[in-house]
Amino acid sequence: MIGASGYAGEELVRLLLAHPNVELAAITSRQFSGKPVADVFPRFAHIEKAMSLKFSDARPDELVRQAEIVFLALPHGLAAEFAKPLLVAAANPSSGGQAGARVIDLSADFRVHDAGVYKEFYGHDHPAPDLLGQSVYGLPEIYREQIRGAKLVACPGCYPTSILIPLRPLIRRKAIDRQRILVTSLSGVTGAGRKIEADYLFAECNESMRPYGVPKHRHLSEIEQELSILAGEKITIQFTPHLVPVNRGILTTICADIAANVVNLDLKLLFENAYGQEPFVRLLGDERFPDTKNVVGTNFIDIAWRIDPRTNRLVVMSAIDNMVKGASGQAVQCLNLMCGYPENAGLL
């Protein structure tokens, strides 16, 4: 695991240490190289697997000899620089790598298929554009079969996870006006990562709520890409994210006009047909509302819906833990699919 010192990295360490089928061979951090994991993260001091584990420097040539799966929990731009040598070594056993090594990336570097769109939203050229065609978008509810055989998996962002799963059946069944989709999301502060910036200091966030990234948040690039693939046509949405004074969790509200030719829309049937057998989708229907306190620490997404007869508009709401289903838990879910383990292994 490369880049284990951030919030998502720490959560991924927690999940992997508890996973019944996983041996955590190495974790890296420039900041903490040489230090025992339990010293940096005292919460793991009681776990036997963590007692002998130390942070090391990230050397791709060594890591592919140690591990079958390599996780990247790095900032965008940097992750791609590590992915390329890892995948090249994996493809060439004569160079010392293992032919079976595979990469699961938690950054944004391989989520967007078009290098031009990546530059538009992230402000710089893609470090490894030749790899964009090899990546599989790591949302199991949509790409389960492709993930199983993937060499490079790009885990979705937290906002896209909370938006794409609820919208997928509505888009596919043409139940809503695809050109009039409004989304508002509220996110906990950990979504910004473990960094020291004035906007994320306690005194700035506590007792305060504010929008940001308007009108063009970076996650729009992958949200609109995936919706367009589902629809078979270009989809553009209005997305307004907000920062709220909680540590973890995302609450998303989606508003859309019911399509003109739709009568007697049965949302319960539509969502149950799409997700009734999904291990991490909980359908709350039209009687309960999603609440972040019920998903924090879990890999579940809770989804509820309402139809407003006054406006002929559909309101769909979801809640996830941005650090688990929105990041590390989803990465482990992808790992389970890639390795043939039960999909919920290490996640319940």
Side-chain angles (χ1 to χ4, degrees):
M1 178 181 169
I2 301 179
S5 59
Y7 290 130
E10 180 181 359
E11 189 67 15
L12 184 53
V13 169
R14 178 183 74 84
L15 292 170
L16 294 177
L17 286 173
H19 197 293
N21 306 105
V22 166
E23 177 187 352
L24 191 52
I27 62 173
T28 80
S29 167
R30 287 184 301 176
Q31 180 182 2
F32 299 122
S33 181
K35 293 185 177 181
V37 172
D39 285 359
V40 178
F41 299 136
R43 64 188 292 201
F44 303 138
H46 68 289
I47 301 176
E48 185 176 350
K49 288 183 180 180
M51 291 180 180
S52 60
L53 198 60
K54 291 184 178 181
F55 286 97
S56 62
D57 292 324
R59 296 190 55 181
D61 56 336
E62 291 186 3
L63 292 172
V64 293
R65 285 195 291 267
Q66 292 177 279
E68 297 175 33
I69 303 284
V70 179
F71 290 91
L72 300 177
L74 296 165
H76 67 268
L78 185 58
E81 295 179 9
F82 279 89
K84 191 161 189 175
L86 287 167
L87 291 166
V88 168
N92 295 280
S94 61
S95 69
Q98 290 185 346
R102 300 155 89 181
V103 174
I104 301 175
D105 180 26
L106 278 71
S107 84
D109 277 356
F110 298 104
R111 299 171 187 165
V112 179
H113 300 159
D114 188 314
V117 174
Y118 178 92
K119 183 176 182 179
E120 176 187 352
F121 280 85
Y122 288 90
H124 58 82
D125 290 328
H126 195 281
D130 53 313
L131 293 181
L132 292 178
Q134 299 181 30
S135 66
V136 173
Y137 196 67
L139 195 58
E141 289 76 13
I142 298 179
Y143 294 110
R144 178 170 284 108
E145 294 309 313
Q146 294 92 321
I147 292 168
R148 293 186 197 278
K151 285 287 188 181
L152 173 60
V153 171
C155 287
C158 48
Y159 284 130
T161 298
S162 75
I163 295 167
L164 292 172
I165 294 176
L167 273 177
R168 174 186 173 237
L170 300 171
I171 292 289
R172 292 184 66 188
R173 296 296 181 181
K174 300 181 179 181
I176 57 175
D177 182 343
R178 298 173 173 181
Q179 305 307 316
R180 292 173 57 85
I181 301 173
L182 308 176
V183 180
T184 298
S185 294
L186 313 176
S187 174
V189 182
T190 52
R194 181 176 269 140
K195 56 189 175 185
I196 301 175
E197 290 186 10
D199 283 350
Y200 307 112
L201 297 175
F202 177 81
E204 302 296 330
C205 297
N206 188 46
E207 297 296 327
S208 178
M209 295 183 284
R210 61 178 181 268
Y212 72 101
V214 180
K216 201 174 180 182
H217 189 279
R218 286 171 171 170
H219 283 178
L220 263 176
S221 56
E222 60 185 281
I223 295 169
E224 293 180 348
Q225 168 188 277
E226 294 303 316
L227 290 178
S228 298
I229 292 171
L230 287 170
E233 61 178 326
K234 176 65 177 176
I235 298 292
T236 302
I237 70 169
Q238 192 73 55
F239 174 51
T240 308
H242 296 75
L243 188 71
V244 295
V246 298
N247 289 338
R248 300 161 70 135
I250 285 180
L251 186 70
T252 285
T253 300
I254 302 165
C255 296
D257 294 336
I258 298 174
N261 62 339
V262 172
V263 294
N264 298 323
L265 179 59
D266 188 336
L267 288 172
K268 181 178 180 181
L269 181 62
L270 186 148
F271 276 102
E272 285 186 348
N273 284 343
Y275 298 128
Q277 302 302 313
E278 284 293 336
F280 294 109
V281 179
R282 299 191 299 202
L283 302 176
L284 308 184
D286 58 5
E287 296 181 356
R288 292 183 291 159
F289 290 109
D291 191 323
T292 55
K293 71 182 180 184
N294 297 325
V295 295
V296 165
T298 81
N299 198 53
F300 291 106
I301 177 171
D302 286 357
I303 301 174
W305 53 83
R306 300 291 189 277
I307 293 178
D308 186 348
R310 301 176 309 109
T311 60
N312 196 40
R313 189 167 290 151
L314 173 63
V315 182
V316 181
M317 299 146 283
S318 72
I320 64 170
D321 184 329
N322 57 302
M323 288 291 103
V324 187
K325 183 58 176 169
S328 300
Q330 192 140 256
V332 172
Q333 192 177 351
C334 290
L335 165 78
N336 290 336
L337 289 169
M338 295 165 74
C339 295
Y341 303 145
E343 196 165 333
N344 60 7
L347 291 171
L348 292 178

